[in-house]
Structure formats: C-alpha cells, structure tokens
Amino acid sequence: EPEVTQTPSHQVTQMGQEVILRCVPISNHLYFYWYRQILGQKVEFLVSFYNNEISEKSEIFDDQFSVERPDGSNFTLKIRSTKLEDSAMYFCASSEAVRDRGAFFGQGTRLTVV
Amino acid sequence: GEDVEQSLFLSVREGDSSVINCTYTDSSSTYLYWYKQEPGAGLQLLTYIFSNMDMKQDQRLTVLLNKKDKHLSLRIADTQTGDSAIYFCAETLYGNNRLAFGKGNQVVVIP
C-alpha cells in the first residue's frame, strides 16, 4: 500500500540552527501538508501546498518556516533559526483532493531543539 | 472557527465495544474524520463521514454524527488488543483544506 515517508525520524538540533524536514508524499497525490504536534497538545495545521505554491497557511507558519517541492517526489519543510518551542513532532501528509477522503500521514519527524 | 474537543482516556476489555466521543463547534464542517495513532507511528486514517450523513459503518467501526449537537462518535465493536492507540477526530470546513484535530482519546484494551 502506498504511504507517505518522512526522514529523518528524529532530529536533534541546536537553538538557532536551520533544519530541513523531508517528506515523500504518495505519488499520485496533488495536495501536500505539514502539521505539528507539540508534546501533550493537539495536532496543529501548518501549511498546505498545491500546484507548486502554498494554498493555505496557519498563523503558526510565519517567516521562520518555508516549504518547497524541489523535484517531482520530495516535499520539504525548512525551519530557520530554530527555537526551543519548535520542538515537536512534525507530520507530513498528502491527499488526492481537497477534503474528501482525508489526508494520509507519514510517521512523523521528532524535532528536538536544545 | 473550529474547535474540536475529546475526552482523554478509555479502558476497555478485549471483546467489548468501545465508544469514543468528540464534539466540535463549527457547524460549517463538511467532513469529519477519525484517525488512529499507535505508539511511535503516524496518523492512520480510519474512516470519515460527510456532514449530511448520520451514520457510517465500516466493518467493526461505526461512526455516528449528531449534527444538531455537533457530536461525533466512533464505536469499535469486538475491541482487540491491536486497537490500543490514541484516536483523534478531525474536521474540515467548507472552502478550507486544513484538518482541525481534537486532543485525542487514548484507548487501552485489556486482554
């Protein structure tokens, strides 16, 4: 069964450093998403991406964050100048269409900022 | 705006039915979903229901939607140890492609 894959599974970084989280969405999907889950809190929407551009973003997704689809298969989330409060599980997801049957999620990247 | 609430913990004996509840506040929700998260794993889409439906059954899973009370439930029949996980309900709104999640409900199945 096709699945969304994320790398790395765990990333530790020093405060102020930049990190890139990588995702390979399901191949025939057109919509891509990033979500995050701070420990003990809700899963929060960050951004959605369609047709090579951001289609929607939350108030969390400020200038510190950026997304890119550098080639036909990868979808990345870059976090510049990481802060302690960026420590969270980051989930990538993809879907064939908006809403409808829901998005399929990867296993997540646990980001720890020290 | 969207706000999804769930109770936190449920313990159930293997073979019994379990019911997980969720309330949401936004009446313009179009689709509602149940996701499952096993330890160390991602979010697995279990099932979804369109907002004009009252009920959806999918094998051991039954979703009930009470749109008047903005209440969504997931019933798992014949609960098995593999059902131990955190269950999240989520909604999407009309004209919006983001998912709004509840905090999750941890289900522990006792053999």
Side-chain angles (χ1 to χ4, degrees):
Chain A
E1 187 175 321
E3 58 180 17
V4 176
T5 57
Q6 290 185 244
T7 53
S9 55
H10 192 185
Q11 171 99 40
V12 180
T13 190
Q14 291 221 321
M15 196 166 53
Q17 296 296 304
E18 174 182 286
V19 294
I20 297 176
L21 309 183
R22 302 180 191 278
C23 170
V24 179
I26 294 173
S27 61
N28 63 335
H29 285 185
L30 301 176
Y31 295 82
F32 314 116
Y33 313 86
W34 283 101
Y35 288 79
R36 79 171 184 192
Q37 185 181 28
I38 295 171
L39 190 64
Q41 297 188 21
K42 292 183 180 183
V43 177
E44 303 171 290
F45 170 80
L46 291 177
V47 65
S48 60
F49 191 87
Y50 170 72
N51 201 26
N52 284 320
E53 60 183 23
I54 290 173
S55 53
E56 191 180 354
K57 61 182 180 179
S58 72
E59 47 286 345
I60 302 168
F61 194 89
D62 59 20
D63 292 343
Q64 187 194 1
F65 296 89
S66 61
V67 289
E68 195 178 29
R69 188 153 163 81
D71 52 42
S73 59
N74 290 284
F75 179 52
T76 62
L77 174 69
K78 183 188 290 185
I79 310 174
R80 286 179 281 276
S81 189
T82 48
K83 301 177 282 209
L84 295 176
E85 53 266 37
D86 295 327
S87 295
M89 182 74 89
Y90 288 80
F91 292 106
C92 174
S94 68
S95 64
E96 287 181 68
V98 175
R99 303 181 293 280
D100 195 18
R101 285 165 289 178
F104 292 83
F105 283 72
Q107 292 203 332
T109 294
R110 181 167 296 285
L111 176 65
T112 304
V113 182
V114 296
Chain B
E2 63 268 13
D3 190 21
V4 182
E5 295 296 329
Q6 290 182 254
S7 51
L8 296 178
F9 183 82
L10 175 69
S11 171
V12 61
R13 291 206 175 275
E14 191 175 14
D16 288 350
S17 293
S18 45
V19 179
I20 308 162
N21 296 299
C22 170
T23 57
Y24 59 98
T25 56
D26 203 307
S27 57
S28 60
S29 296
T30 52
Y31 286 90
L32 295 119
Y33 307 86
W34 283 103
Y35 281 84
K36 175 184 180 184
Q37 185 179 33
E38 295 180 69
L43 296 162
Q44 176 195 353
L45 176 62
L46 284 179
T47 188
Y48 66 95
I49 188 167
F50 187 48
S51 57
N52 68 354
M53 298 168 64
D54 299 321
M55 185 182 95
K56 180 177 179 181
Q57 186 147 6
D58 184 359
Q59 300 182 329
R60 292 190 299 117
L61 306 178
T62 303
V63 180
L64 294 178
L65 175 60
N66 181 331
K67 206 171 176 187
K68 175 176 165 288
D69 294 337
K70 299 189 184 70
H71 183 262
L72 181 74
S73 68
L74 175 69
R75 178 177 180 270
I76 306 173
D78 185 26
T79 312
Q80 299 162 11
T81 53
D83 294 326
S84 291
I86 299 176
Y87 291 81
F88 295 92
C89 65
E91 61 176 341
T92 54
L93 309 180
Y94 180 78
N96 191 316
N97 66 354
R98 66 170 72 181
L99 287 165
F101 283 86
K103 264 194 174 179
N105 189 315
Q106 180 158 16
V107 174
V108 174
V109 182
I110 303 164

